[in-house]
Amino acid sequence: MIDIGILSVSLYISFQIFADILSIKITTLPFLHLAIDGGTVIYPFTFTLRDFVHKTWGKERSRQVVITAGILNLLMAVLFWLIGKMPADPTWNLQGAYESILMPFWRITIASMIAEVFSELIDTEVFDRVYRRFGDIKAVLFSNGIALVIDSFIFSFIAFAGVLPLITVLSITLSNIIVKMAVTLISLPTIKLVPRRDEYFKG
């Protein structure tokens, strides 16, 4: 039998890491023609996955998962940097490509860490309060709705302000909000797949 809690934690941390790497590329949102970082293709699912963890294991463990994901993202950036500083084998001709793509990863990682930890800890608090009073659907909708706006502004401006034109940064912020809200609405019913653990919601 699949353990929903373990699966949710695994997917949450994986999607966080995947999103950081994918955010290196700036693409264009189809139809709306807004600039968007590639990580936003997968990152919005982390909000609902965090809610899965919260409903299964409670607020304290949900907080631990958020902070752990942030630490692992930082560790990934450190490893990219360390490996990049190691001398390349003479027969390997992609050192320049590695350095140009992965070595500037620090700013995106720091932006992602700050945005992720700050917004998802807020998500945790809002989800817990709303869930206790109004149930899981409204809890996901309210908590994700607040957190994704905060996350989008923090990440976009820390990661790209001063590097990209302001209009592009605002475009990335807006497209982030649109995509994250769309994913929240699409994934909203899936919270019903997670059984409630009443021992985590007493008091």
Side-chain angles (χ1 to χ4, degrees), residues 105-183:
F105 198 66
W106 279 105
R107 184 166 176 170
I108 291 175
T109 300
I110 296 301
S112 178
M113 277 187 58
I114 295 173
E116 170 218 328
V117 172
F118 190 71
S119 66
E120 299 219 23
L121 287 178
I122 290 175
D123 188 311
T124 301
E125 295 300 322
V126 174
F127 180 91
D128 194 70
R129 292 172 185 270
V130 177
Y131 183 44
R132 290 173 185 272
R133 296 187 61 183
F134 302 109
D136 48 16
I137 292 291
K138 289 182 179 179
V140 172
L141 189 59
F142 278 96
S143 65
N144 288 15
I146 293 170
L148 67 85
V149 173
I150 295 171
D151 179 87
S152 298
F153 273 95
I154 293 176
F155 172 75
S156 299
F157 277 85
I158 294 179
F160 304 117
V163 176
L164 299 175
L166 178 59
I167 188 66
T168 304
V169 177
L170 291 173
S171 176
I172 292 172
T173 304
L174 178 59
S175 59
N176 265 254
I177 292 172
I178 292 171
V179 171
K180 290 169 185 173
M181 181 56 74
V183 171

Side-chain angles (χ1 to χ4, degrees), residues 20-21 24 76-77 80-81 84 96-106 109:
D20 269 5
I21 298 172
I24 295 171
M76 176 177 61
F80 279 152
W81 180 81
Y98 181 97
E99 291 179 357
S100 64
I101 296 296
L102 295 178
M103 294 297 275
F105 198 66
W106 279 105
T109 300

Side-chain angles (χ1 to χ4, degrees), residues 27-93:
T27 183
T28 304
L29 196 62
F31 307 113
L32 298 178
H33 305 294
L34 294 171
I36 187 170
D37 64 286
T40 303
V41 172
I42 193 169
Y43 179 76
F45 291 102
T46 64
F47 289 102
T48 302
L49 286 168
R50 194 221 57 80
D51 295 336
F52 281 19
V53 177
H54 195 144
K55 189 177 177 183
T56 305
W57 284 343
K59 183 166 71 173
E60 292 306 317
R61 290 192 179 181
S62 181
R63 285 173 175 167
Q64 291 174 21
V65 170
V66 170
I67 293 171
T68 300
I71 292 171
L72 289 174
N73 277 330
L74 178 60
L75 176 61
M76 176 177 61
V78 171
L79 291 173
F80 279 152
W81 180 81
L82 285 174
I83 298 301
K85 288 298 182 181
M86 294 174 64
D89 185 274
T91 63
W92 191 67
N93 60 2

